[in-house]
Amino acid sequence: DTEVTQTPKHLVMGMTNKKSLKCEQHMGHRAMYWYKQKAKKPPELMFVYSYEKLSINESVPSRFSPECPNSSLLNLHLHALQPEDSALYLCASSVWREEEQFFGPGTRLTVL
Amino acid sequence: GIQVEQSPPDLILQEGANSTLRCNFSDSVNNLQWFHQNPWGQLINLFYIPSGTKQNGRLSATTVATERYSLLYISSSQTTDSGVYFCAVGGMDSSYKLIFGSGTRLLVRP
């Protein structure tokens, strides 16, 4: 099974709201990733977790707060977002570093 | 960092035609993947191919790591092949990080 699941599929939030995105995989992968994709652009890496520890933060604003509670679950907590943060947020996982990454279906976020 | 260039940026085909998509990269890589992004945004893994040649049905891919390029071949194209094709690479020193090319937008007409 090479499935990464993400919830919710769509999310609309105001600039003062707090919300969370959830990502789950049960493939035993030890690296998990958050990517952001704006319309008509390629995905861009935001965060990397390896063995449940944050290993890469691509200078992402603090209004995005990742969390990895266990080896199967990855969250992205959102607070005080801006309209320009509206995008498709993709989660991915891989067995380890240079191994193949598998992506979830994404959460399409709109910030009003 | 590594630069990834994909060509052509846009491609229109008649159903049944063949095509070749190209991905050039500027440095040695540990990871190279080809993806198809469908209209709903899902990135579908096509190939994990840091070197060599692979085939899967009507699709095949070749990576010549020493010359820093990869090719994706689509034969007998179908309307369901429409979408955006991305090449993504991971460098030798930071292979966690996939760097995506700008993609090739493919439209297959019936």
Side-chain angles (χ1 to χ4, degrees):
Chain A
D1 182 12
T2 54
E3 188 178 25
V4 177
T5 60
Q6 289 187 244
T7 54
K9 286 187 171 51
H10 300 275
L11 179 61
V12 179
M13 59 186 291
M15 290 190 283
T16 58
N17 293 156
K18 285 185 182 182
K19 297 286 185 183
S20 296
L21 310 184
K22 179 180 169 182
C23 172
E24 205 158 2
Q25 56 88 15
H26 296 286
M27 297 178 279
H29 290 176
R30 304 317 299 261
M32 296 185 76
Y33 313 78
W34 281 114
Y35 287 82
K36 174 181 178 179
Q37 186 178 19
K38 300 282 280 182
K40 298 193 185 301
K41 297 287 188 184
E44 292 182 337
L45 182 67
M46 300 174 72
F47 302 104
V48 180
Y49 272 82
S50 56
Y51 282 92
E52 298 143 55
K53 293 192 188 320
L54 183 65
S55 57
I56 295 180
N57 176 342
E58 290 287 307
S59 303
V60 179
S62 59
R63 58 186 184 270
F64 295 91
S65 176
E67 179 197 19
C68 190
N70 59 58
S71 60
S72 300
L73 187 57
L74 186 65
N75 297 320
L76 185 62
H77 303 297
L78 315 172
H79 174 55
L81 295 192
Q82 305 296 309
E84 59 265 28
D85 297 320
S86 298
L88 180 67
Y89 288 84
L90 294 160
C91 174
S93 71
S94 63
V95 172
W96 191 227
R97 334 184 156 208
E98 61 265 11
E99 303 291 334
E100 185 175 9
Q101 291 187 25
F102 295 89
F103 282 77
T107 294
R108 201 166 293 276
L109 173 68
T110 302
V111 182
L112 300 177
Chain B
I2 291 182
Q3 307 297 311
V4 183
E5 292 184 1
Q6 290 187 243
S7 59
D10 297 281
L11 186 58
I12 299 175
L13 298 175
Q14 221 38 53
E15 201 168 23
N18 303 329
S19 61
T20 301
L21 281 57
R22 187 177 180 101
C23 172
N24 292 335
F25 43 96
S26 60
D27 206 345
S28 300
V29 299
N30 255 340
N31 183 349
L32 191 146
Q33 293 184 238
W34 282 97
F35 297 95
H36 175 212
Q37 189 163 42
N38 66 23
W40 299 271
Q42 172 84 58
L43 277 169
I44 299 162
N45 289 44
L46 298 177
F47 295 102
Y48 170 70
I49 188 167
S51 63
T53 297
K54 291 186 177 179
Q55 179 153 9
N56 185 2
R58 296 182 296 105
L59 302 182
S60 63
T62 295
T63 297
V64 183
T66 52
E67 297 186 23
R68 297 181 185 166
Y69 73 89
S70 183
L71 301 174
L72 176 69
Y73 305 97
I74 304 174
S75 65
S76 304
S77 57
Q78 301 175 357
T79 55
T80 51
D81 294 332
S82 297
V84 183
Y85 289 80
F86 286 109
C87 167
V89 305
M92 302 292 277
D93 60 345
S94 58
S95 48
Y96 278 98
K97 181 174 179 178
L98 277 183
I99 308 294
F100 282 76
S102 297
T104 292
R105 193 171 299 273
L106 174 63
L107 175 63
V108 180
R109 289 184 167 152

